[in-house]
Amino acid sequence: MVESYFISSGLMKSYKALNLGKLRYLAIVVGSEEAYQTSKVIELLQWLEAIGVKHVCLYDMEGVLKRSKEAILEKMSNTTVFQEADENDKLLDQKHMMLEFVSFSDGKEAVAKAANLLFAKYLTSNNSSEDQEGEIFTEPHMTEALRAVGSGGPEPDLLLVYGPARCHQGFPAWRIRYTEIVHMGSLKSMRYGSLIKAIYKFTMVRQNYGK
Amino acid sequence: MKKDGRSRINWIFENFVTFLRKCILRVLSVGPIPEHIAYIMDGNRRYAKKQNMIEGTGHRVGFLALMSMLKYCYEMGVRYVTIYAFSIDNFKRRPEEVQSLMDLMQEKIEGLMEEESIVNRYGVRVHFLGNLKLLSEPVRLAAERAMVATANNSKAVLSICVAYNSTNEIVHAVEKACEEKWEEISLLNASGSGYGLIGLECIEKDERENLIKLIDIEKHMYVSIAPDPDILIRTSEIGFRHLLWAILNFQRNHFYLEKKRKQL
C-alpha cells in the first residue's frame, strides 16, 4: 500500500516510463455488485487512458457494465466502442481509446451459438458428399463463427480482476489461453499505484507461449 | 554407531513432520475442502536454470514435487486432481527437448502402473485428456494401458492433460456434438420422421440456431469426467505451504464463490 502511494506520487522513476508495446489488449473483470459503482469504473478507465492503454475490455458476469455503457461513454471523451466489423482499423487507431463490453453470455453460450453455425456448414458439406469435415472444425473457423455471433473480441494479454477473489467469473475461455491474470482486490479500494505496478510487472515478464 | 544415530534422528524427524502435516490437514478439514484442484505445471526449466542443473532435470524434480502434492491432496480428501502436463504448444520446442519429455512421460506413466505407486495406494483412477493421437505411439499406448489398469479404482481421480490445449478441446467437443446431432437426424430421417431436417430449409430460423445446445457440447469435453476445478494453481515452485495457502484462500472465498455459482 505504501509502495502504491510512492508510485502514484511519481517518486519511483522506474514506473514512469512504461513500455506498453506488449500490452495490446487489456481486460478488466469486475464483480457484478461492484460494477454498479459506475463512477469507480469510469475513474479506472480514466487512469488507464492516462497511462496510455488504448484497448480495454470490460467484463462483469451479469452484464451490468453492458447496461451502463451509455453512462460510461458519456463521461469518457475520445472513446469508441469495439465493433467486430472494423476491428482491424480501430485497433490501429491511436487517438481513441476503444472499449469492449462483455458478459457471461459471451462465453459458453456464445460457443454454443457458434457451434450451430458450424453445424449448418457441416450439414451442407455432408449433403454435397464432399469430405470437408477436417476443414470445418478448426480453431480459426471457430474464432470466425464467434465473431459472427457477436462474441469475437481479441485475446487479452493481461486480465485484471477487481473483486474479492482471484476468479475470472466466466470471462470467455476461448480468449484467455495465454492471458496473464492478476488479482487487484476490490474495486472500492483500487489504487492508481497498484494499477501501474501490475501493468509494469506484466511488461517486464518474458512469455514463452509454450515454446 | 554414529550412522545409526543419525538415521534414527532422521526417522524421528520425518515422522514428526508427517504428524504435524496430518494435524494441519485435520484442522483444515473443519472448513470446506475443495473437491477438485487443478495444477498447471510451470517453471521446471526456470528452476533447473536457477539451481544450475542440467537441462531436463528440472522436469524430473518437478515430477517429484507433483507426487508430493498429489499425496497431500489425497490425504486431505480432495477427490479430483487435474494436472496440465504437456500442451500442444509445447510441441513447438526443440525436437530433442520434446523427445526427452516424451521419454520421461512414458517412464513415469509406466511407473504409475506399479503396485506401490501412489495411484494404487490411494485408489486413484487415471485419465489422460487431450488429443492423444498427437503423441508418439509408445507414449499413447502406455497412457491407454494406464487408463485400463486403473479403471477399477474409485476413491479419487487423476486427470493428466497431455497434448492438450483449451481451444483444441472446445473445437473437438463442438465437432463431436455436431457428429452426434447429424447421426440423430439421420436416424430420424431414416425412420421417416425427420421432416426433411437434413435439408434444413424446412426448419424455422430459431430452431436452426438452436439445434446444438450447450449441454451437448459440454458432455463431449475431455474434462467432463470431473466437476469444474475449485482451485487452479500455476506452479513456479510448490511445496506444502503453498498448497496450504491456496486452501486457506479457497475457504475464505468459498461462501462468495458458491453464491456466484448458484447465480449461473
Side-chain angles (χ1 to χ4, degrees):
Chain A
M1 196 174 131
V2 178
E3 194 187 359
S4 62
Y5 176 72
F6 280 131
I7 297 171
S8 312
S9 55
L11 282 175
M12 297 188 77
K13 293 227 169 61
S14 49
Y15 291 104
K16 268 195 163 164
L18 274 182
N19 174 13
L20 291 175
K22 268 197 204 158
L23 185 58
R24 289 158 302 181
Y25 210 76
L26 174 73
I28 309 268
V29 166
V30 180
S32 291
E33 305 84 23
E34 295 202 294
Y36 283 107
Q37 301 170 40
T38 320
S39 54
K40 277 284 179 189
V41 175
I42 292 172
E43 193 181 350
L44 179 62
L45 288 173
Q46 284 166 342
W47 288 349
L48 287 170
E49 199 177 24
I51 294 172
V53 179
K54 290 285 169 207
H55 306 105
V56 179
C57 171
L58 285 174
Y59 175 91
D60 81 282
M61 205 163 86
E62 291 165 25
V64 172
L65 291 172
K66 267 183 179 168
R67 292 193 289 274
S68 323
K69 188 159 64 169
E70 299 305 330
I72 294 176
L73 290 174
E74 216 180 276
K75 290 284 167 58
M76 303 282 304
S77 57
N78 241 5
T79 42
T80 53
V81 179
F82 173 80
Q83 306 276 357
E84 250 94 40
D86 27 48
E87 181 191 326
N88 285 323
D89 303 319
K90 287 288 164 70
L91 272 178
L92 299 168
D93 185 344
Q94 289 302 305
K95 287 188 231 126
H96 295 90
M97 186 177 184
M98 196 173 68
L99 290 182
E100 188 193 353
F101 292 84
V102 176
S103 68
F104 187 73
S105 60
D106 295 299
K108 293 202 268 198
E109 293 166 19
V111 169
K113 286 195 211 142
N116 279 296
L117 285 185
L118 293 179
F119 184 56
K121 285 210 184 107
Y122 181 57
L123 285 182
T124 324
S125 94
N126 272 351
N127 280 341
S128 66
S129 67
E130 281 166 38
D131 184 21
Q132 280 189 7
E133 197 180 304
E135 293 166 28
I136 297 175
F137 298 107
T138 63
E139 289 173 42
H141 282 146
M142 189 65 183
T143 309
E144 206 182 290
L146 281 167
R147 212 170 283 164
V149 302
S151 302
E155 296 181 15
D157 301 293
L158 178 63
L159 189 135
L160 302 177
V161 178
Y162 282 94
R166 186 204 294 264
C167 175
H168 63 59
Q169 302 189 27
F171 190 95
W174 184 260
R175 300 166 60 173
I176 49 173
R177 206 147 49 106
Y178 294 117
T179 308
E180 185 89 2
I181 301 176
V182 178
H183 183 211
M184 305 293 290
S186 74
L187 192 66
K188 68 171 189 273
S189 57
M190 67 184 194
R191 276 184 286 276
Y192 182 68
S194 313
L195 181 63
I196 293 252
K197 185 175 172 190
I199 296 178
Y200 177 74
K201 272 178 100 168
F202 170 75
T203 58
M204 298 304 286
V205 142
R206 196 193 95 169
Q207 296 254 29
N208 285 330
Y209 299 108
K211 278 215 274 273
Chain B
M1 281 306 285
K2 241 185 177 169
K3 229 179 174 175
D4 256 351
R6 206 179 301 163
S7 62
R8 196 181 169 76
I9 292 178
N10 272 339
W11 181 86
I12 295 177
F13 181 70
E14 268 168 37
N15 276 322
F16 179 65
V17 167
T18 308
F19 171 71
L20 255 188
R21 194 179 68 233
K22 293 210 163 130
C23 283
I24 294 176
L25 292 180
R26 205 159 289 181
V27 169
L28 266 189
S29 309
V30 171
I33 290 288
E35 208 185 2
H36 182 176
I37 301 185
Y39 292 90
I40 299 177
M41 310 208 306
D42 195 17
N44 290 331
R45 295 184 294 180
R46 256 176 287 147
Y47 181 79
K49 218 173 178 180
K50 205 166 92 167
Q51 305 284 330
N52 287 322
M53 296 175 177
I54 27 167
E55 207 184 300
T57 333
H59 298 297
R60 287 185 180 270
V61 174
F63 179 78
L64 289 173
L66 171 71
M67 289 297 112
S68 304
M69 280 303 115
L70 285 183
K71 192 172 75 163
Y72 305 146
C73 285
Y74 295 132
E75 273 176 8
M76 234 186 319
V78 176
R79 256 206 71 134
Y80 297 90
V81 176
T82 300
I83 60 178
Y84 195 164
F86 192 86
S87 164
I88 295 180
D89 300 287
N90 294 147
F91 280 116
K92 289 189 228 154
R93 292 184 182 178
R94 290 179 358 254
E96 313 83 57
E97 197 184 330
V98 175
Q99 187 55 48
S100 81
L101 278 167
M102 289 288 131
D103 293 337
L104 177 66
M105 257 200 281
Q106 188 179 349
E107 185 192 315
K108 296 306 174 189
I109 294 173
E110 280 162 5
L112 283 181
M113 290 189 273
E114 277 157 29
E115 237 346 272
E116 338 74 50
S117 77
I118 190 173
V119 296
N120 286 324
R121 240 191 306 154
Y122 291 98
V124 183
R125 181 170 180 179
V126 179
H127 289 278
F128 286 89
L129 312 181
N131 192 351
L132 302 184
K133 292 193 273 250
L134 294 174
L135 295 171
S136 61
E137 182 136 348
V139 183
R140 189 170 45 82
L141 290 175
E144 283 167 8
R145 275 200 312 269
M147 287 197 273
V148 168
T150 58
N152 288 326
N153 292 347
S154 57
K155 291 224 190 82
V157 173
L158 173 63
S159 309
I160 305 178
C161 295
V162 287
Y164 173 94
N165 80 29
S166 53
T167 43
N168 179 273
E169 180 184 30
I170 292 172
V171 169
H172 172 264
V174 166
E175 182 174 358
K176 289 281 165 264
C178 290
E179 283 172 3
E180 192 187 51
K181 188 58 63 165
W182 162 256
E183 282 188 26
E184 209 181 284
I185 294 177
S186 304
L187 279 174
L188 278 175
N189 245 27
S191 64
S193 53
Y195 308 100
L197 272 175
I198 302 265
L200 268 197
E201 296 91 27
C202 320
I203 323 178
E204 295 296 329
K205 185 161 187 280
D206 6 277
E207 251 183 72
R208 206 186 314 165
E209 281 167 4
N210 218 7
L211 282 173
I212 309 272
K213 305 223 185 329
L214 182 56
I215 196 169
D216 300 321
I217 302 172
E218 280 180 322
K219 73 174 187 240
H220 287 290
M221 297 277 277
Y222 299 129
V223 297
S224 60
I225 44 149
D228 288 346
D230 295 298
I231 304 180
L232 173 65
I233 298 178
R234 181 175 152 204
T235 65
S236 44
E237 266 179 59
I238 194 155
F240 180 65
R241 67 175 196 282
H242 302 103
L243 181 61
L244 192 62
W245 187 247
I247 305 273
L248 285 173
N249 241 338
F250 166 79
Q251 292 184 336
R252 190 162 66 117
N253 291 306
H254 181 72
F255 183 63
Y256 167 78
L257 289 171
E258 273 304 291
K259 200 172 70 164
K260 286 261 121 179
R261 203 184 294 206
K262 295 207 172 89
Q263 275 173 3
L264 283 178

